[in-house]
Amino acid sequence: MSPAEALRAERAERAEGAERRPGPLWSLGLLRSELLTTFRRWRTLALLTVLAAVPVLIGIAVKLETDDGSSAGGGGEGPAFISQITNNGLFLVFTALAATLPFFLPMAIGVIAGDAVAGEASSGTLRYLLVAPAGRTRLLLTKYATVLAFCLVATLVVAVSALAVGALLFPLGELTTISGTRIGLAEGLARALLIALVVAASLIGVAALGLFVSTLTNSGIAAMATTVGLLITVQILDQIPQLDAVQPYFFSHYWLSFADLMRDPVYYEDLVRNLGLQAAYAVVFGSAAWARFTAKDITA
Amino acid sequence: MAPYESDSTTAAEAGGLRAGRHRRRAARYVVPGAVLGVAAATIGLVPALADSGDPDLPEMTAQQLVEKMAESDVDQLSGTVKITTDLGLPDLGGLESGLLSGGSHSDGDGSAADPSSKLTELVTGTHTLRVAADGPDRQKVSLLENAAEYSLIHDGKDVWGYDSGSNEVYHSTVSDRSGELTKEDVPATPEDLTAQALKAVDDTTSVTVDGTAQVAGRDAYRLLIEPKRSGSTVGAISVAVDAETGLPLKFTLTPSSGGAAVVDAGFTQVSFAKPDAKTFDFTPPKGAKVTEADESGGAAQAPKRAQKPDEDLAGNLGGLTVLGEGWNSVATFDTGGEGLPTAGDDGGLGGFLDSLGSKVSGGFGSGTVFSTRLVNALITDDGKVYVGTVTKEELVKAADAAK
């Protein structure tokens, strides 16, 4: 499409937009159709299935290992909370989230976020999306909202699957916090829900980063690979002690702070830092994605 | 936020269109740039704004302040303590703690929840502790770790250690020696550290009130304890004393050689309300491995194992004498042996030790000095050991004088 043609198309689009100002209900409709498209994809369902399988595997492994009465985790090895699973099945939720948060969850987010814009571009459907009087900013916001919804759904899938497996294989009941105090099952469940929400919120940064990468390229695969590659790079850099001056700025640095919710009283310092950092990533990369996407030539 | 790429381009001429578009495209990137700047500035400014300057408090002499601290009768508090220690020890990483606690794991008779093996971790790095106290009978100290916590709970006559990472429990009763470990052997709170420092106050020390400070949101006086003579590695000890209760809130020990503090322990948050009763209520969780302090030989041996080798040496040989007085005092004892293994007779170990220390000689003969930022030790070739918080030169002087 030549620039003149593009201009004409835009003008036509504008004219239509002026006639029929998109209302908030219309945006909801766009969001709903985006959500349906995303969650109906086989790819998305496969990702969610893999995530749901992780707690099942952990639960069965711990059950088999501790059937003879020995303790799991061999004295502090393995993912966080693993040694407490045998006391209380609810701990499987925390272990499963601690095991999936460093890699499985953000990888799934990276795939969905990377695909959000670049995927449409590579399959040639982005043009048609923009022909509708949605506007680029609105479309981008809808895409981001869809990715965030996936963050929440993915985390809840892990948590619910872990809760089901934990309840089946291990006893539930009063649980001991990592500070040694005891809380009832109802409070334990409330904290588990809170932890799931915090974990979902921990992924906001990756989601924004993925969306930005997605606006840079027209290849869905390239965007996914770049996002997941960045994720792995940051995770590795976060382990190098010589880099401790910059590590607090890595989006993954405070991820495990969700465990602080299992202290009694709750230790908020790192939790607040984590949420602040995620918000900063969302705003910085979200606005970068906006700058890129609204100024981009859409040729496919 | 305009939903469209080109809001005002329709009227523009085709020629000017391109340039204008490019400018506007570039202009859009100003937004993320500005957002990044605001985010960075917020991160930078928040701590600066939180530092609201030194509070105005009525004048107080050092004497009055020390008395106030002595009268302090805070027995209910809860708070968070951040402790940073930088002794300048060679960074052995996990090696040292691995050596110390490794034995107990492989033997299978010790417990990961043993207080003596756990709290030696405080010797290096930055740690966050939670403390809570309700009278003399109920205290709790928790060491916050990554997704785990080690808690030492004293409730009446029971002392529980709970290591959530390995799900192990250590139990003893107060009549046991280990019951006193929290307070006596491992000073970790600013209060414990200050008590140790004030023990050292005598006429070789200058104690002054050095203005005020704000610690954990509370107004505090700053007490400065300095050795009068040079020669000590201790530069100054600064203690922030809560103006209301007289409780030390922050303890900082700076070395005379300058640089970062060797020990910096302070409350980041403190409350003098009665802690929740369930804080001190501990029942071992189902399935946790419980080690009783007097149950097996293993647990009884555990504290001994946790000691550093040199402490063992000192304990076995006894004959400890102190030379000099005040801050420049040097402890000395005779190992009765032949000094350190040298590279000649025990390749690996000797060479390794030589690389850590430096050779000195003087009126006493010759020996090896091992330096940290706070404690220096001289081990002479004829087996005498001189240890003190004094400079290397002072150590050699003491050794010369003792000869």
Side-chain angles (χ1 to χ4, degrees), chain B residues 61-367:
Chain B
T61 65
Q63 183 67 32
Q64 284 170 321
L65 191 55
V66 172
E67 275 167 16
K68 192 178 175 71
M69 285 162 71
E71 286 164 13
S72 164
D73 58 348
V74 175
D75 57 0
Q76 290 182 343
L77 91 155
S78 54
T80 310
V81 176
K82 207 154 242 173
I83 176 163
T84 305
T85 31
D86 179 9
L87 289 172
L89 293 169
D91 187 11
L92 300 175
L95 186 62
E96 189 179 23
S97 54
L99 287 174
L100 291 174
S101 59
S104 50
H105 276 304
S106 52
D107 295 356
D109 56 358
S111 165
D114 190 320
S116 52
S117 65
K118 204 72 195 182
L119 292 179
T120 44
E121 282 176 18
L122 289 177
V123 172
T124 52
T126 300
H127 298 274
T128 307
L129 295 174
R130 277 234 170 117
V131 292
D134 181 10
D137 291 338
R138 285 147 80 81
Q139 290 113 21
K140 178 170 177 176
V141 181
S142 305
L143 174 61
L144 271 57
E145 298 163 338
N146 252 348
E149 195 165 323
Y150 174 73
S151 308
L152 197 57
I153 304 160
H154 171 206
D155 181 16
K157 65 177 184 39
D158 290 315
V159 175
W160 297 97
Y162 176 56
D163 181 33
S164 87
S166 58
N167 203 26
E168 288 187 21
V169 175
Y170 173 91
H171 178 237
S172 71
T173 44
V174 169
S175 51
D176 295 349
R177 197 198 82 88
S178 30
E180 297 145 21
L181 270 170
T182 27
K183 285 273 162 201
E184 308 293 313
D185 288 9
V186 190
T189 61
E191 192 183 2
D192 300 340
L193 289 162
T194 308
Q196 302 272 346
L198 286 176
K199 269 188 213 160
V201 169
D202 54 21
D203 52 355
T204 64
T205 313
S206 101
V207 181
T208 51
V209 176
D210 180 33
T212 57
Q214 192 138 43
V215 177
R218 295 185 66 88
D219 294 345
Y221 290 99
R222 203 163 17 203
L223 188 72
L224 197 64
I225 305 170
E226 280 175 306
K228 275 182 189 161
R229 283 197 299 151
S230 65
S232 170
T233 49
V234 177
I237 294 171
S238 159
V239 181
V241 183
D242 186 36
E244 199 180 306
T245 61
L247 183 82
L249 295 177
K250 192 171 168 70
F251 174 96
T252 314
L253 193 160
T254 38
S256 54
S257 55
V262 171
V263 180
D264 183 84
F267 281 100
T268 54
Q269 178 260 319
V270 68
S271 149
F272 294 102
K274 184 180 160 71
D276 199 341
K278 73 170 181 170
T279 310
F280 308 102
D281 185 20
F282 182 77
T283 336
K286 267 178 286 172
K289 184 181 148 201
V290 182
T291 312
E292 290 291 334
D294 48 1
E295 192 177 66
S296 67
Q301 279 162 17
K304 203 191 266 177
R305 214 189 347 248
Q307 278 175 350
K308 303 272 172 63
D310 53 10
E311 286 172 4
D312 257 342
L313 214 60
N316 293 342
L317 294 160
L320 192 73
T321 46
V322 176
L323 310 171
E325 53 160 358
W327 296 89
N328 291 11
S329 58
V330 171
T332 178
F333 56 89
D334 199 339
T335 59
E338 296 207 347
L340 288 170
T342 51
D345 46 62
D346 183 354
L349 184 62
F352 177 60
L353 286 174
D354 279 351
S355 72
L356 292 177
S358 60
K359 288 271 174 207
V360 290
S361 54
F364 64 90
S366 66

Side-chain angles (χ1 to χ4, degrees), chain A residues 55-56 59-60 63 85-94 158-173 185 189:
Chain A
V56 179
I60 291 174
K63 185 74 182 169
I85 294 179
T86 42
N87 315 339
N88 198 310
L90 197 53
F91 274 103
L92 188 58
V93 177
F94 312 137
V158 175
V160 168
S161 156
L163 186 62
V165 175
L168 270 178
L169 296 182
F170 305 100
L172 288 177
L185 183 62
L189 283 170

Side-chain angles (χ1 to χ4, degrees), chain A residues 3 6-7 10-11 13-14 17 21 71 75-76 80-81 83-84 86-87 133-137 171-172 174 176-183 187 212 249 256 259-260 263-269 273 280 283-284 287-288 290-292 294-297, chain B residues 1-10 17-18 21 24-25 28-33 35-36 39 43 80 82 105 128 130 140 142-151 153 162 164-168 268 278-288:
Chain A
L7 191 65
E10 265 166 17
R11 241 185 253 168
E13 196 184 299
R14 260 172 59 81
R21 212 60 243 153
S71 71
F81 303 118
S83 60
Q84 279 112 315
T86 42
N87 315 339
R136 294 191 180 186
T137 308
L172 288 177
E174 268 205 336
T176 306
T177 63
I178 57 179
S179 302
T181 57
R182 297 177 82 81
I183 54 175
E187 200 191 334
F212 173 58
Y249 300 99
L256 280 184
D260 290 347
R263 302 189 198 281
D264 194 25
V266 176
Y267 182 66
Y268 286 104
E269 202 180 307
R273 275 194 202 144
V283 178
V284 170
S287 59
W290 171 79
R292 166 72 191 163
T294 52
K296 191 182 177 186
D297 272 335
Chain B
M1 273 203 253
Y4 303 112
E5 168 188 14
S6 47
D7 280 324
S8 54
T9 48
T10 41
L17 186 76
R18 271 269 165 96
R21 238 190 194 193
R24 232 178 344 276
R25 271 185 199 182
R28 289 190 189 256
Y29 287 97
V30 171
V31 177
V35 166
L36 188 64
I43 293 170
T80 310
K82 207 154 242 173
H105 276 304
T128 307
R130 277 234 170 117
K140 178 170 177 176
S142 305
L143 174 61
L144 271 57
E145 298 163 338
N146 252 348
E149 195 165 323
Y150 174 73
S151 308
I153 304 160
Y162 176 56
S164 87
S166 58
N167 203 26
E168 288 187 21
T268 54
K278 73 170 181 170
T279 310
F280 308 102
D281 185 20
F282 182 77
T283 336
K286 267 178 286 172

Side-chain angles (χ1 to χ4, degrees), chain B residues 332-337 339 378-386 402-403:
Chain B
T332 178
F333 56 89
D334 199 339
T335 59
L378 166 65
I379 302 178
T380 64
D381 289 347
D382 52 4
K384 283 211 168 65
V385 179
Y386 300 87
K403 194 72 183 178

Side-chain angles (χ1 to χ4, degrees), chain B residues 376-398:
Chain B
N376 286 327
L378 166 65
I379 302 178
T380 64
D381 289 347
D382 52 4
K384 283 211 168 65
V385 179
Y386 300 87
V387 188
T389 56
V390 295
T391 57
K392 221 190 272 185
E393 296 73 37
E394 199 75 13
L395 210 53
V396 172
K397 233 190 277 174

